[in-house]
Amino acid sequence: METAVNGHIVNGIHPHTPLQNGKHHHEPTLEELERELPLVMDGQIPLGELVSRLVQAIYAELVEMAETMPNMSDSARKRSMADCVVRLKKQVVKLYAISRWSRDAGVVQKAMNITAFLMDQNRQFEDAIMGLKYARDGLDPARLRNHDLLTSLDVLTTGTYRRLPTCIKELVVPPTPLTDDEVSRTLADVEDAIRYRLRMSEIIPWEMSQYRIGNGRVFFTAPKLFELSLCLRGAQKNDGWFFVNVSFLFTVGGDQTGMQEFPRTPTGHLKRNITDEADARLAFYLPPDQPPPPGVEVPPRPALPEGVVDAPLVRVFNFLQMMSLSYQLEILWYQAERMRSLGWAEYLTVAMTNNRQSMVVHYWVRKPPSQRRRAGQSQKQLPLLGGKLTISIVQVKEQTGRKAMRSPRARVLAELQARSKLENSRPSDEVEHMRFDVRWEPEQGALGVAPAPEDMFISPAELQVNPEDLDCESLLRRVIRRHTEGVMKFFQAQLQRGPATRNVFSPPGEVTFVSNEGAPSLRVHLCADEVVIVTVDPRTGRLTLRDTGDLAAAGRGPRFAAITERLNDSPYMLPHALVALRVTTITDLAEQKVQYLGLQSFRTRNFSQDDLKKLGRDAQGTLYIQLGNFPMHYLVLVITDQDFRYALISVKKVERSVNNDLMMEDIGWLNVRRIHGDSVAVEAGVGPEAVAGQKRKRDEMPHAATSAEQYPTSFRLETKMLRELYAYCCARVAYTKVEQQFKLGSIPYTHVNSTLGSYIPEFGNVQSSLARTIPALCVQSKDILSGAPAAEAAMPNIRVIPLNWWSGEDVKVVTCVKLKYVQQPIGKRASGSTVIRPSKRIIYDTREAIVSFLSDNVDKCVEEFLEEWARVSKMVVIAREVAQMSSRYLWTDVRLIAFDLQTVEFTYAADYAVALTCTDQISANRSSYHLRFSRVLPDDHMQVDDAPDPTHNPHEDVELFLCNLLGHGKLSTALHRLVSLLRETLPIVAELEDIRVAAARKGEAIDTFPKSAGWFRVLYGDLRHALDFRLMTGARVVILDGSHTLFDDVAEGRGVARRQPGKQAGSPPSLANSVALQPIPEFRTLVAEAIRAAVAHGVRGQFAPIDIGVICDVAAVRIVGRMLHQKVVEKLAQTRSSQT
C-alpha cells in the first residue's frame, strides 16, 4: 500500500477522506470509463458475414449435387454424398470454432480499445514534451526592456506620471458607461436616420429590397446570395455607411467532410478583408474622415460628376454578389477535388481559371494508349474523355419579356424608386446581374458511339447550381446519368435494329432499358433464365457487364470481368460481344447438361470451312457430343439466332493430316418436337439447304418429318430431352450400320414397327422411351439366308433390331427368326420356362418358336447372325432327324434326350448317348462339329466301389475320327451314316473296353485304341503283335492279324477272300508291317479254335475264315473277338516261355 506524506495519500485521494465543502469525490462507473475509450475495428469482420458466405456456398453445392446425382450410379452417388458431407463438415466445424472464439470478441475489442487509448495518451505526452521544449527554446532569447529612469524620477519627485500617454489613461480609466435609456435612445435615433435615408434618398438595388431595421442597423437580404448588415456613421448627409457583418445564404450538400473551412458567416482574416473592401466601396465618393498629417500628400478622392448621385448600396451589392458566387464556386471546386481524392483521380480532372470565375470538370478521362497498343487497334480511335462540365460566373444583361430576370412588378417598383429619388440624375453605379452558367458538352464519339441528340438533351433546370444544396457530385452525376442513358439507348437501338443482332435481340423483352435509382442499364436476355446487366460505371466511364447476382451465377464473375476488360478497349463492339457472350453462355449451359449425363463433348473439331458451312449459314456456335459407342459420329448442337438446331453427323479422319483433321461424311437434321413427343424423325431440309455427302433422307422412313417447327422454348435444353436425342442418335447410327451391311450384301430391307418387347421378354423392362417409336428392319429369309444351310427352316420375315443404344453399354443387334417346324427343346435347360437362353448370343421363345440372335458387334452383326444361324439351323435339322429315326429306321433305342438349339443329345443304342454341337465358321466355308459321348444312367443307379465308370462311353476314343463325318454331303444323310456307324461299331468298342479293363485288372500290358472311325487295334505287351477289328459294309466286321492288311495281295491280283493255294499262314509279312509288327504264330489255327469256341457259347451267325483272320456279323463280334483274343494271349504266352 502507498505511504502517506504529510498526512495525505500520494497519487490519489483516500476514499474515506472528506473533501472541501463536505463533498465526496464521484467515482466513475465501468460503463462510463468504457465509453471514453476509442472504438477500434481494425482487422475484424462481422460473424454474420462469415455465416452468410458459408450458407451460400453450401446451398450452391447442394443445388449442384441435386442436379448431378440422379444420373450417377448408386455407388458413385453414395461416394459423392460422403465426400460432400466430409467437406461441408470441415467447413461447419471451422465456423463452429470461430463462433466459439467469437465469445471472447468483446474482451479482444476492449483490449484493442484500451491499447488505442494508451497510444493516444502516449501521443499526448509526447506533444506536451515537445511543447515544453518549444517554450524553453522560445524563452531563452527573451529579455526584459531597460528600466524607464525618467518616469521613475518623476514619480519619486512629484508623486505622479508626467509623461504617461493619454491613451493609457483612457484604457486604464474606463469612461462613464451609458445608461440603458441612453443606449436605447441612441439606437432609436440611428434607426430613424437609417429609415429616413433608405426611404428618401438611398438607391436600393431591387435584389436587396427585402430589409429590416433593428438594433441600430439595417439588415439587407439578397435571396440565395447573402444577408448584409450596415450602419450609418451619423445623421448628416455626408455621413456614409459602414459594414457590420454578412452571412452567405447557401447550404452545402453531399459529403460534409472539410466544410468547416467554408463557414456561412466569415470570421477572422476573411471577415477583415471583406470589411475593408466593403467599407472602401461604401465610402468611395466620401471625403476622408481625418485630414492627412502635415507634409503627406494623398491622391485625390474620386468626385461625382454633375448629375450623378452616389449609390453605395449598389456598389456593395455588386461586391457581395460576386463574393457569394465566388464563394460557392470555391466550394464546388473543393467538392470536385474531394471526389478526386476518393477514387476519381484517374478518371476526373478539375481545372480553375486564373480569375477563379470558371471551373471545368472533365469526366471519364482515359489514359492515352501506348504506341504498340495504338498500332494494334483499328482506325476508330476513342476520345480521351467522355465530356466536360463547365461552371462559370457570368454577367448577364437586363432583358425584357419572358427572358427578363426581374418580374414586371419589380421593374415597375425600380422605376418608381428611380423617379422619386433620382429625379433627373443618374446613379453612380448600376446593378451587375451575375449568375452561374453551367454548360455540359459531351465528347463526340465517347465510348465509340454517337447517341441521338434527343437522348442527350438535359433541361437547364437540371444544370442549375442550387445554393440551398451545393453538391458538385450530385450535379456531375446528373450529367453522367444523362450521358449513360444516351449511350444505353444507342446500344439498345443498335441491338434491336442492327443487321447482325436484330434477329437475336429484336423480340420484345430481349433488351430492356432500365432507369431506376442506380445507373441506367440494359437488361439483356441471353437465353433461358440467363440475363446480363450492361451499364456504364459513372466513375470510370467503362462498360460493365454483370449477372443478376443469384447463387447459380456465382462462377461467372471472372468471365464477365475478362469480357469487360477486352470490351473497354473497343466499347463500340458491345453488340458483337453480347452475341459472343450469348453463344458462350448457351454453350456452357448445354455443356453442363452434357456433363450431368456423363457424355463427352467438344466445342470445336478440326473441320474445314467448307464442312462447317454444312451446318448452316446462321450457325453461331456448336457443341459436338461424341457418341460413346460410335466415336466417329457426333450429335451436334448448332446454336442459331432463335434456338438450337440438332444434327447427326458422321466423320472420318483426313489422310496425311498433321493436325488430325476431320471431314464430314454424312449429316442429318433432327426434328426435336417429333423426337421429344410421340414420334421421331430426321429432316434433311430443315435449316440450311441440303449439302453434299447427305446420303440418306428420313422421308424414306414411315415416321419421316416434313415440318420445320422449332422446339417452342428457346434454348431450354432439358436433361431428359438431351438424353433422348443422344439415345436416338445412337439408335440411328446403329441402324445405319446395319443398313450398310444389307446394302453391301445386296439384301433388300424395309422398315416396320418395332415389337421388341413381345419377341424378347428379357429386354422388355430395360428399353428406352423411344424404343417403340423407332422402326425395326425387316428382311426376307430368302434374301439374307441365300446360300446359307437350312434356309428352308426360317419363316419369310426376319426382323433386325439394334439394342442398348439407350444406355452406356455396347450396342447390340438382335435378329429375330421364326422357325417353320418346331422341335420343342428338351433337357435341363429347357425345363421350367418358355424362354431359354442356351448361349450368350441366342434366346429361344419356345411358345412362339422365335429364335433371337444377339450380336455384340454392330459392324459385323449380319455376318455373326449367319454364323449363328448356320449352327442353330443344323442343330434344328439334326434334332428333327433324330426324333424321326426311331420310326423311320426302326431304331427303337434311338431317342432324343436333350435339345437347346446349340446342342443335340440323343441315345444311339441302349444307354449310349452322344451330344452334337456345331462349330461352323463362315470364313472357313465348311461344317465342323464337336461330339461328346456319354452314357445315360437310370435314376436308381448306385455306384459300386472298384467298378468301372458307368458314365464312360468307349466311343470317346473315336471322337476325333467321327467329327468329320457330318461335314460331307447332305446333313440328314451324314447324320444317318454317323448313327449307323456308331451302332455298328458299338459291339467292337464295348468288347475292346472289356478287354482293356480285364487286362488292367490282371496286370497285363495290353492296349486298345482306334486307327480310324471303323478300325480298332489291340496291341499286346511285346508291342510286336496286334489284333485289328475293321468294320465292313453290310454290318460285318473283319478280325485280322495286325501285321497284315486287307490289301496285301492286291498287287498280285488276288483279293483277301481268296486264299492262294500253297500259301502258308506263317509266310513272311508284308513290307508295310515288317518293320513294326510281326505275324501272330499259328494265327489261322487260333481263328478256327475261336470260331468253335464261339459256336459252343451259342453264337449264331455267319462266319467266314480267311487266311489272315475271320469275317463275322456285328452281332457275333463280341464273342468271336473275345475268344480269338484269349487264344492269341495264350499263344503269345507259350511262345515267350518257349523262347526263354
Side-chain angles (χ1 to χ4, degrees):
M1 181 177 177
E2 298 175 344
T3 58
V5 179
N6 296 327
H8 298 282
I9 302 299
V10 180
N11 295 333
I13 301 174
H14 195 278
H16 301 290
T17 303
L19 300 179
Q20 295 179 357
N21 300 327
K23 297 182 180 179
H24 294 274
H25 176 66
H26 173 68
E27 286 288 341
T29 62
L30 183 61
E31 290 76 9
E32 293 175 349
L33 292 176
E34 289 181 357
R35 283 196 295 269
E36 295 296 330
L37 297 177
L39 182 61
V40 179
M41 302 294 294
D42 186 22
Q44 300 189 73
I45 60 175
L47 180 62
E49 185 175 349
L50 287 179
V51 176
S52 176
R53 289 186 181 180
L54 180 61
V55 169
Q56 290 183 1
I58 293 176
Y59 173 77
E61 190 160 358
L62 291 179
V63 169
E64 183 177 358
M65 288 179 59
E67 295 180 352
T68 56
M69 288 181 62
N71 299 311
M72 298 181 181
S73 62
D74 184 63
S75 60
R77 190 183 301 115
K78 293 178 180 179
R79 183 172 60 254
S80 177
M81 186 176 297
D83 295 341
C84 180
V85 169
V86 172
R87 186 168 55 256
L88 296 182
K89 181 180 179 182
K90 292 180 180 179
Q91 298 297 327
V92 174
V93 168
K94 292 179 182 178
L95 182 62
Y96 175 71
I98 293 174
S99 65
R100 293 293 299 270
W101 294 341
S102 66
R103 297 179 180 179
D104 300 330
V107 179
V108 175
Q109 181 69 51
K110 187 182 298 182
M112 295 177 63
N113 295 344
I114 294 174
T115 302
F117 175 78
L118 295 177
M119 293 177 63
D120 185 57
Q121 291 293 320
N122 185 47
R123 181 184 57 80
Q124 293 180 11
F125 286 143
E126 291 179 352
D127 292 344
I129 293 172
M130 295 303 296
L132 293 175
K133 182 180 178 182
Y134 175 77
R136 186 197 67 181
D137 296 340
L139 289 176
D140 285 343
R143 294 292 184 269
L144 292 174
R145 60 176 291 184
N146 295 330
H147 299 286
D148 189 358
L149 298 177
L150 294 178
T151 303
S152 299
L153 292 175
D154 291 339
V155 172
L156 292 175
T157 56
T158 62
T160 182
Y161 295 96
R162 300 178 61 184
R163 297 177 177 83
L164 188 65
T166 306
C167 64
I168 295 179
K169 291 182 180 182
E170 295 176 356
L171 291 176
V172 175
V173 180
T176 304
L178 297 176
T179 63
D180 293 340
D181 294 338
E182 292 175 343
V183 172
S184 298
R185 285 195 300 272
T186 303
L187 293 177
D189 294 341
V190 173
E191 291 174 359
D192 291 340
I194 292 174
R195 188 177 295 109
Y196 176 80
R197 179 174 289 192
L198 291 177
R199 290 181 178 179
M200 299 305 295
S201 62
E202 201 68 52
I203 304 299
I204 304 174
W206 173 250
E207 289 76 9
M208 291 172 53
S209 60
Q210 299 179 12
Y211 63 88
R212 58 184 176 84
I213 301 174
N215 297 329
R217 67 191 72 177
V218 60
F219 297 89
F220 295 98
T221 301
K224 299 182 180 182
L225 290 175
F226 55 86
E227 184 181 28
L228 171 66
S229 61
L230 299 178
C231 187
L232 281 176
R233 299 177 182 271
Q236 300 298 324
K237 183 177 181 181
N238 294 330
D239 292 334
W241 299 88
F242 67 90
F243 176 84
V244 179
N245 199 2
V246 67
S247 293
F248 295 105
L249 303 181
F250 61 80
T251 302
V252 180
D255 187 7
Q256 298 295 321
T257 304
M259 288 299 104
Q260 64 274 10
E261 302 294 334
F262 300 95
R264 295 181 56 181
T265 301
T267 59
H269 295 286
L270 179 59
K271 182 179 180 180
R272 189 180 308 112
N273 294 333
I274 294 176
T275 301
D276 294 342
E277 183 65 23
D279 289 341
R281 291 178 181 267
L282 289 172
F284 187 73
Y285 292 107
L286 296 178
D289 296 338
Q290 297 177 357
V296 178
E297 294 184 4
V298 295
R301 301 284 294 180
L304 287 172
E306 186 177 357
V308 176
V309 178
D310 187 15
L313 297 183
V314 175
R315 289 194 298 273
V316 77
F317 169 76
N318 292 338
F319 164 67
L320 292 178
Q321 175 186 234
M322 189 64 186
M323 189 67 189
S324 177
L325 295 178
S326 299
Y327 202 13
Q328 296 179 31
L329 185 62
E330 292 293 335
I331 294 175
L332 294 176
W333 174 82
Y334 178 84
Q335 291 177 335
E337 290 293 340
R338 174 74 177 170
M339 290 176 62
R340 283 175 47 82
S341 65
L342 295 178
W344 292 64
E346 297 183 7
Y347 315 101
L348 186 71
T349 60
V350 182
M352 184 78 81
T353 58
N354 294 332
N355 58 3
R356 311 296 290 182
Q357 294 186 7
S358 179
M359 180 180 72
V360 180
V361 179
H362 296 91
Y363 62 91
W364 293 355
V365 177
R366 289 172 173 264
K367 293 182 180 180
S370 60
Q371 295 294 335
R372 180 182 304 176
R373 195 169 184 178
R374 189 180 306 169
Q377 289 182 349
S378 60
Q379 298 296 328
K380 191 173 183 179
Q381 299 293 333
L382 296 177
L384 297 181
L385 53 91
K388 65 179 180 179
L389 180 67
T390 305
I391 305 176
S392 303
I393 301 175
V394 297
Q395 181 178 1
V396 294
K397 296 181 179 179
E398 178 64 24
Q399 297 180 358
T400 59
R402 294 183 178 181
K403 297 183 179 180
M405 298 183 63
R406 296 179 179 180
S407 63
R409 179 175 178 273
R411 292 199 299 271
V412 170
L413 292 177
E415 291 178 1
L416 292 176
Q417 177 183 225
R419 290 178 184 177
S420 62
K421 296 180 179 180
L422 297 177
E423 296 180 353
N424 296 326
S425 302
R426 58 184 179 86
S428 60
D429 296 275
E430 296 290 341
V431 175
E432 298 175 357
H433 297 283
M434 311 294 293
R435 68 176 179 86
F436 280 117
D437 180 34
V438 183
R439 295 184 181 182
W440 172 45
E441 300 177 20
E443 191 72 15
Q444 293 294 328
L447 297 181
V449 299
E454 59 271 15
D455 294 333
M456 300 294 287
F457 172 76
I458 185 170
S459 63
E462 295 184 51
L463 289 178
Q464 286 184 355
V465 176
N466 184 10
E468 297 178 355
D469 184 15
L470 286 178
D471 190 355
C472 181
E473 182 177 0
S474 176
L475 179 61
L476 181 61
R477 285 187 179 274
R478 284 199 297 271
V479 170
I480 293 177
R481 180 182 179 85
R482 177 61 65 185
H483 198 166
T484 303
E485 288 179 359
V487 172
M488 292 295 101
K489 290 181 180 179
F490 175 84
F491 281 129
Q492 182 185 23
Q494 192 176 19
L495 288 172
Q496 293 178 339
R497 303 169 189 171
T501 57
R502 60 188 176 191
N503 294 335
V504 179
F505 299 111
S506 59
E510 291 295 316
V511 182
T512 306
F513 176 74
V514 180
S515 179
N516 48 26
E517 295 181 357
S521 59
L522 289 182
R523 185 181 179 90
V524 182
H525 175 245
L526 298 179
C527 64
D529 298 329
E530 299 299 323
V531 176
V532 63
I533 306 299
V534 183
T535 186
V536 177
D537 189 342
R539 181 175 64 94
T540 63
R542 298 172 67 86
L543 289 174
T544 303
L545 275 66
R546 57 182 175 86
D547 53 39
T548 53
D550 56 351
L551 290 175
R556 304 195 185 105
R559 173 184 301 169
F560 287 162
I563 295 176
T564 302
E565 184 67 24
R566 296 192 301 268
L567 180 61
N568 281 283
D569 293 336
S570 303
Y572 50 86
M573 298 299 293
L574 176 64
H576 301 280
L578 288 177
V579 172
L581 177 61
R582 173 177 176 270
V583 173
T584 303
T585 304
I586 295 172
T587 306
D588 288 344
L589 293 177
E591 196 171 34
Q592 187 180 29
K593 299 292 184 181
V594 172
Q595 292 175 355
Y596 286 164
L597 296 177
L599 306 178
Q600 180 70 34
S601 63
F602 305 91
R603 297 198 178 192
T604 58
R605 295 273 77 185
N606 293 341
F607 292 116
S608 64
Q609 291 298 325
D610 294 337
D611 284 339
L612 292 177
K613 291 179 181 178
K614 298 177 183 178
L615 297 176
R617 298 176 181 176
D618 57 345
Q620 298 180 0
T622 54
L623 184 65
Y624 301 89
I625 304 175
Q626 189 176 32
L627 305 186
N629 295 318
F630 309 102
M632 303 307 291
H633 292 78
Y634 294 87
L635 166 62
V636 185
L637 275 62
V638 182
I639 302 173
T640 62
D641 293 337
Q642 301 299 331
D643 205 345
F644 285 115
R645 274 209 315 271
Y646 305 90
L648 173 61
I649 65 172
S650 62
V651 303
K652 70 175 183 179
K653 293 184 178 180
V654 178
E655 297 181 357
R656 300 177 183 177
S657 173
V658 179
N659 299 323
N660 294 326
D661 294 338
L662 301 176
M663 180 178 65
M664 292 187 190
E665 284 188 315
D666 191 11
I667 181 172
W669 295 96
L670 307 177
N671 188 325
V672 182
R673 174 167 292 185
R674 288 291 187 88
I675 297 176
H676 196 52
D678 298 330
S679 57
V680 180
V682 174
E683 298 180 341
V686 180
E689 58 272 8
V691 294
Q694 202 164 314
K695 300 183 293 185
R696 187 183 306 100
K697 307 297 182 184
R698 290 297 176 172
D699 53 4
E700 299 175 1
M701 300 175 59
H703 301 283
T706 57
S707 125
E709 297 178 346
Q710 296 284 344
Y711 193 63
T713 305
S714 176
F715 294 108
R716 290 186 179 271
L717 185 62
E718 300 295 338
T719 305
K720 179 181 178 182
M721 184 189 70
L722 182 60
R723 184 186 295 110
E724 291 183 354
L725 279 175
Y726 179 81
Y728 177 79
C729 291
C730 293
R732 186 58 254 171
V733 175
Y735 275 81
T736 301
K737 290 183 175 294
V738 177
E739 292 172 2
Q740 289 176 350
Q741 296 177 63
F742 289 155
K743 292 179 180 180
L744 291 176
S746 300
I747 301 174
Y749 61 90
T750 57
H751 294 92
V752 295
N753 292 331
S754 176
T755 55
L756 178 61
S758 60
Y759 289 154
I760 310 179
E762 290 190 14
F763 293 92
N765 298 326
V766 294
Q767 300 179 15
S768 169
S769 58
L770 300 176
R772 297 186 179 277
T773 63
I774 296 181
L777 299 174
C778 180
V779 296
Q780 296 297 313
S781 60
K782 64 179 180 179
D783 298 324
I784 193 172
L785 297 179
S786 178
E792 69 280 358
M795 295 294 283
N797 293 331
I798 296 178
R799 293 178 184 264
V800 182
I801 308 172
L803 299 176
N804 280 359
W805 42 264
W806 55 80
S807 66
E809 301 177 359
D810 294 338
V811 179
K812 303 179 184 297
V813 178
V814 59
T815 305
C816 302
V817 182
K818 187 175 181 63
L819 302 179
K820 284 184 179 179
Y821 40 82
V822 180
Q823 172 60 51
Q824 291 296 333
I826 57 177
K828 295 181 180 180
R829 291 186 179 180
S831 60
S833 176
T834 60
V835 177
I836 64 173
R837 191 164 188 174
S839 68
K840 181 180 178 181
R841 299 167 61 176
I842 296 177
I843 300 175
Y844 183 42
D845 186 353
T846 58
R847 184 176 55 186
E848 300 291 338
I850 296 178
V851 185
S852 300
F853 299 89
L854 293 177
S855 176
D856 295 335
N857 191 345
V858 183
D859 296 322
K860 296 182 179 180
C861 62
V862 176
E863 180 181 347
E864 292 181 357
F865 161 70
L866 294 177
E867 289 184 1
E868 291 295 335
W869 170 254
R871 301 188 186 104
V872 171
S873 61
K874 291 177 182 178
M875 291 297 101
V876 172
V877 172
I878 291 174
R880 183 186 61 182
E881 292 295 329
V882 170
Q884 297 175 357
M885 281 184 179
S886 59
S887 59
R888 181 181 299 177
Y889 303 109
L890 300 178
W891 293 340
T892 56
D893 51 354
V894 176
R895 57 188 177 87
L896 188 65
I897 60 177
F899 170 59
D900 59 1
L901 298 183
Q902 288 288 95
T903 303
V904 177
E905 186 175 6
F906 61 94
T907 58
Y908 53 88
D911 60 350
Y912 292 90
V914 63
L916 296 178
T917 303
C918 182
T919 59
D920 281 1
Q921 297 291 335
I922 297 297
S923 58
N925 197 22
R926 63 182 181 84
S927 298
S928 59
Y929 297 86
H930 173 69
L931 281 67
R932 182 175 54 83
F933 292 91
S934 63
R935 296 186 70 175
V936 181
L937 300 178
D939 297 337
D940 56 351
H941 174 76
M942 296 182 61
Q943 181 68 30
V944 180
D945 295 340
D946 298 333
D949 185 6
T951 62
H952 177 67
N953 190 330
H955 268 127
E956 290 180 1
D957 299 334
V958 202
E959 177 185 344
L960 183 62
F961 303 104
L962 297 176
C963 288
N964 296 328
L965 291 180
L966 294 176
H968 302 283
K970 191 175 181 181
L971 182 59
S972 58
T973 303
L975 180 64
H976 177 264
R977 184 168 58 249
L978 172 65
V979 175
S980 298
L981 179 62
L982 292 175
R983 293 174 63 86
E984 292 174 358
T985 58
L986 179 60
I988 301 175
V989 296
E991 183 59 29
L992 293 182
E993 180 66 16
D994 292 344
I995 292 174
R996 185 187 63 80
V997 172
R1001 289 177 179 176
K1002 295 178 181 179
E1004 298 177 353
I1006 298 178
D1007 188 18
T1008 62
F1009 56 90
K1011 296 278 289 183
S1012 67
W1015 183 3
F1016 306 90
R1017 171 169 292 179
V1018 180
L1019 184 63
Y1020 295 99
D1022 56 2
L1023 303 180
R1024 293 183 298 174
H1025 301 85
L1027 191 64
D1028 287 348
F1029 293 77
R1030 303 190 68 167
L1031 181 66
M1032 302 178 64
T1033 58
R1036 296 173 302 159
V1037 178
V1038 56
I1039 306 174
L1040 67 158
D1041 186 355
S1043 62
H1044 296 277
T1045 66
L1046 295 175
F1047 309 100
D1048 284 347
D1049 298 332
V1050 172
E1052 300 177 1
R1054 289 180 288 271
V1056 295
R1058 296 175 57 190
R1059 184 171 38 183
Q1060 183 178 359
K1063 183 79 173 180
Q1064 299 297 326
S1067 60
S1070 64
L1071 295 176
N1073 295 284
S1074 61
V1075 177
L1077 299 178
Q1078 297 180 5
I1080 300 174
E1082 301 178 5
F1083 183 68
R1084 185 173 182 182
T1085 303
L1086 298 177
V1087 170
E1089 294 176 356
I1091 292 175
R1092 288 193 296 271
V1095 172
H1097 281 77
V1099 175
R1100 297 292 184 269
Q1102 296 181 359
F1103 302 96
I1106 59 177
D1107 292 342
I1108 56 176
V1110 60
I1111 298 176
C1112 62
D1113 293 336
V1114 171
V1117 70
R1118 296 202 61 172
I1119 300 299
V1120 174
R1122 184 184 309 121
M1123 294 304 170
L1124 182 56
H1125 166 68
Q1126 293 175 358
K1127 298 297 181 181
V1128 172
V1129 171
E1130 294 175 357
K1131 185 61 178 178
L1132 293 177
Q1134 293 176 2
T1135 304
R1136 285 195 297 271
S1137 62
S1138 62
Q1139 290 178 353
T1140 57

